[in-house]
């Protein structure tokens, strides 16, 4: 059987089952869609091995489970990182005298971030961190790949750490190595 026909048949036969499984675990349709699409992307990348596999459906399910686990871990680390960044900013501002505080409110902080970032990067940061959008959704909106969305967010974080927390940027940069995608 030709590789494209094999993959198409596998996709048509298994997509709905995989999607339902992912949505039941993740409780989020966008995250489920992203996990299933990443699973099939992996199937395309490893199509030769998949075609030789005794149970391709089982291979897809195991790959999906791994994608769900990795995606959940990544989202948890992103949330932890941004909570950490917020706490670091709060702790730094407590140490300063009232007149020396760089940000009197969240809106001032957002204005400072907006001034530091190009509009497209600011939108990406807001969509993912404040609105809870997935990298897949943002990538579609911006016309870029999921990997580009992830990498761009990583660069935005690094830039903000250097500009907003100059004394903490080395420590945060070291901790960011955990967030490599």
């Amino acid at each position: 059987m030709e590789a494209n026909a094999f993959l198409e048949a596998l996709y048509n036969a298994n997509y709905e089952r995989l999607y339902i499984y992912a949505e039941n675990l993740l409780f989020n349709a966008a995250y489920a869609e992203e996990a299933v699409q990443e699973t099939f992307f992996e199937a395309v990348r490893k199509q030769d091995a998949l075609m030789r596999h005794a149970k391709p459906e089982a291979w897809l399910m195991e790959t999906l489970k791994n994608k769900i686990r990795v995606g959940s871990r990544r989202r948890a680390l992103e949330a932890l990182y941004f909570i950490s960044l917020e706490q670091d900013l709060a702790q730094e501002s407590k140490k300063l005298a009232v007149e020396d505080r760089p940000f009197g409110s969240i809106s001032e902080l957002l204005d400072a971030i907006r001034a530091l970032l190009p509009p497209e990067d600011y939108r990406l940061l807001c969509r993912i961190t404040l609105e809870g959008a997935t990298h897949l959704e943002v990538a579609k909106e911006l016309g870029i790949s999921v990997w580009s969305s992830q990498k761009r967010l990583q660069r935005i974080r690094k830039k903000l750490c250097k500009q907003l927390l100059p004394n903490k940027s080395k420590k945060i940069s070291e901790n960011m190595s955990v967030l490599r995608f």
Side-chain angles (χ1 to χ4, degrees):
M1 181 183 278
E2 182 186 331
N4 287 341
F6 172 77
L7 290 171
E8 186 175 344
L10 202 59
Y11 181 87
N12 291 333
N14 293 284
Y15 177 83
E16 188 173 346
R17 178 176 62 90
L18 295 174
Y19 176 78
I20 290 169
Y21 178 84
E23 191 173 30
N24 284 332
L25 281 180
L26 297 169
F27 302 106
N28 184 305
Y31 292 154
E33 173 72 22
E34 186 175 31
V36 173
Q37 291 300 326
E38 287 179 6
T39 298
F40 281 104
F41 177 72
E42 194 71 22
V44 170
R45 286 185 55 232
K46 297 181 178 179
Q47 66 187 1
D48 294 334
L50 182 58
M51 288 178 72
R52 290 189 306 269
H53 198 278
K55 295 182 181 180
E57 293 82 7
W59 184 94
L60 284 174
M61 184 57 77
E62 285 303 312
T63 302
L64 176 63
K65 289 176 184 177
N66 288 332
K67 295 296 179 182
I68 290 170
R69 197 169 22 258
V70 168
S72 296
R73 188 178 313 130
R74 183 188 73 232
R75 284 187 294 279
L77 286 172
E78 286 174 357
L80 178 66
Y81 174 75
F82 279 104
I83 289 169
S84 171
L85 178 60
E86 187 177 296
Q87 288 172 348
D88 286 345
L89 286 173
Q91 288 171 358
E92 287 294 316
S93 66
K94 285 179 185 174
K95 292 177 187 174
L96 299 172
V98 173
E99 63 275 0
D100 293 336
R101 290 188 183 193
F103 308 109
S105 68
I106 295 294
S107 63
E108 287 180 26
L109 174 61
L110 290 175
D111 289 341
I113 291 171
R114 188 179 295 120
L116 290 170
L117 298 175
E120 193 172 85
D121 286 350
Y122 180 76
R123 181 72 187 136
L124 182 140
L125 179 69
C126 288
R127 285 283 293 135
I128 291 174
T129 60
L130 300 178
E131 298 171 18
T134 64
H135 282 287
L136 179 63
E137 292 170 332
V138 173
K140 285 180 181 177
E141 291 170 11
L142 297 177
I144 59 177
S145 69
V146 173
W147 184 88
S148 296
S149 173
Q150 293 168 337
K151 196 64 177 173
R152 189 177 288 179
L153 181 61
Q154 183 182 19
R155 289 181 182 132
I156 291 168
R157 288 176 179 158
K158 200 173 207 175
K159 181 177 183 177
L160 290 176
C161 285
K162 283 183 182 176
Q163 297 293 322
L164 298 176
L165 302 169
N167 297 334
K168 301 266 185 182
S169 64
K170 183 178 180 192
K171 179 183 174 191
I172 291 172
S173 294
E174 291 168 358
N175 292 337
M176 282 183 59
S177 64
V178 174
L179 299 177
R180 302 240 187 267
F181 300 101

